[in-house]
Amino acid sequence: MATQPARPIKFYTYAVSGHAHRVELALSMLGLPFERIEVDLKVREHKSAAFLGRNPFGQVPVIEDGDVTLGDSNSILVYLAKRYDPNGRWLPEDPQGAARVQRWFSVAAGELYNGPVSARGYALFRNKPVPNEVVENANRLFTLLEQHLAKQPFLMGAAPTLADIAIYSYTSLAAEGRLSLEPYPQLRAWLARFEALPGFVPMRRSQLPALAEATP
Ligand SMILES: N[C@@H](CCC(=O)N[C@@H](CS)C(=O)NCC(=O)O)C(=O)O
């Protein structure tokens, strides 16, 4: 199996998108060459005919790797690991391991989306109070993660996997949704452990102040 693409992977992104940050983490942690292409959500470039041709859902992130075009962060994570991580370090092949990673992808698209992602949408992009229900959703998830990470260093056990990448970005951005991680020491320790991994890249923050009107 090729462990490097023939040409740099094209990575369509938006600087403050946590979904896109997941993909940037995977590209970087797998040591893959890539070319960043900024999609300006503020001018609705993601709804242009050209971009809809790449992703009919009109969302970042998207990658193009040779003749493969893919949208959706979690599906891109699976593709990159299956194609470029021959040892299955980031995505176990065994039925139970694969299913457990998928379960965290479901959490990323479900509980994480309805809690921390949504809170950030209200607070950062719409400058509105975060509804109590969203705060409760987030704290329910953080409590569950806190208990889970008290037993093991990473979500799947001793080593990091795609599950950690899928959950990391928006959890680390909790404060931008006016959510506190103060009551969750195990969760904060996991964030620090993840940030110490080779290839870790922080989200690029430089465009943040201009973002109030850029509603993902
Ligand atoms: N399921 C998608 C969700 C991606 C997503 O919500 N992207 C946002 C930016 S964080 C976006 O492009 N929003 C614009 C829109 O939905 O119109 C994924 O996991 O990649």
Side-chain angles (χ1 to χ4, degrees), residues 17-19 22 41 46-47 57-61 72-74 113 170 215-216:
S17 162
H19 291 96
R22 287 178 193 166
L41 267 59
H46 55 309
K47 305 300 181 193
F57 285 84
Q59 294 179 325
V60 291
D72 189 84
S73 56
N74 294 336
Y113 196 89
Y170 283 108
T215 322

Side-chain angles (χ1 to χ4, degrees), residues 1-4 29-30 79-94 159-162:
M1 192 199 298
T3 53
Q4 288 285 295
M29 288 172 146
L30 286 165
Y79 169 82
L80 293 175
K82 285 268 186 198
R83 179 125 192 211
Y84 296 114
D85 174 31
N87 303 321
R89 230 169 52 112
W90 289 93
L91 180 58
E93 289 289 338
D94 66 289
T161 64
L162 296 187

Side-chain angles (χ1 to χ4, degrees), residues 75-141:
S75 88
I76 296 169
L77 297 188
V78 169
Y79 169 82
L80 293 175
K82 285 268 186 198
R83 179 125 192 211
Y84 296 114
D85 174 31
N87 303 321
R89 230 169 52 112
W90 289 93
L91 180 58
E93 289 289 338
D94 66 289
Q96 207 195 124
R100 285 170 59 223
V101 170
Q102 176 55 52
R103 185 152 192 221
W104 287 113
F105 287 159
S106 299
V107 172
E111 286 83 351
L112 190 79
Y113 196 89
N114 295 324
V117 180
S118 174
R120 187 169 175 260
Y122 281 103
L124 185 67
F125 297 108
R126 277 166 262 160
N127 199 20
K128 287 197 169 145
V130 181
N132 285 342
E133 190 193 345
V134 173
V135 176
E136 283 162 17
N137 290 343
N139 282 313
R140 203 175 307 117
L141 174 62

Side-chain angles (χ1 to χ4, degrees), residues 19-215:
H19 291 96
H21 185 233
R22 287 178 193 166
V23 172
E24 184 156 358
L25 283 168
L27 288 164
S28 177
M29 288 172 146
L30 286 165
L32 299 171
F34 66 93
E35 173 194 349
R36 180 180 290 111
I37 299 158
E38 295 286 341
V39 181
D40 192 347
L41 267 59
K42 293 194 290 301
V43 298
R44 298 186 63 74
E45 201 182 337
H46 55 309
K47 305 300 181 193
S48 68
F51 193 80
L52 290 172
R54 295 185 191 98
N55 179 5
F57 285 84
Q59 294 179 325
V60 291
V62 168
I63 62 158
E64 285 173 354
D65 182 20
D67 56 5
V68 176
T69 301
L70 264 184
D72 189 84
S73 56
N74 294 336
S75 88
I76 296 169
L77 297 188
V78 169
Y79 169 82
L80 293 175
K82 285 268 186 198
R83 179 125 192 211
Y84 296 114
D85 174 31
N87 303 321
R89 230 169 52 112
W90 289 93
L91 180 58
E93 289 289 338
D94 66 289
Q96 207 195 124
R100 285 170 59 223
V101 170
Q102 176 55 52
R103 185 152 192 221
W104 287 113
F105 287 159
S106 299
V107 172
E111 286 83 351
L112 190 79
Y113 196 89
N114 295 324
V117 180
S118 174
R120 187 169 175 260
Y122 281 103
L124 185 67
F125 297 108
R126 277 166 262 160
N127 199 20
K128 287 197 169 145
V130 181
N132 285 342
E133 190 193 345
V134 173
V135 176
E136 283 162 17
N137 290 343
N139 282 313
R140 203 175 307 117
L141 174 62
F142 292 159
T143 301
L144 186 147
L145 289 170
E146 177 74 6
Q147 289 161 358
H148 187 71
L149 289 162
K151 293 180 263 171
Q152 55 200 39
F154 292 101
L155 291 174
M156 291 280 292
T161 64
L162 296 187
D164 299 277
I165 294 181
I167 301 295
Y168 170 82
S169 297
Y170 283 108
T171 304
S172 72
L173 299 170
E176 290 182 0
R178 303 190 196 118
L179 301 167
S180 172
L181 293 182
E182 184 58 31
Y184 308 106
Q186 301 288 347
L187 190 47
R188 286 185 281 114
W190 167 74
L191 294 176
R193 247 185 327 270
F194 186 85
E195 287 158 13
L197 291 171
F200 173 81
V201 275
M203 195 182 212
R204 287 161 306 124
R205 327 287 318 164
S206 56
Q207 296 185 21
L208 254 187
L211 260 214
E213 73 282 20
T215 322

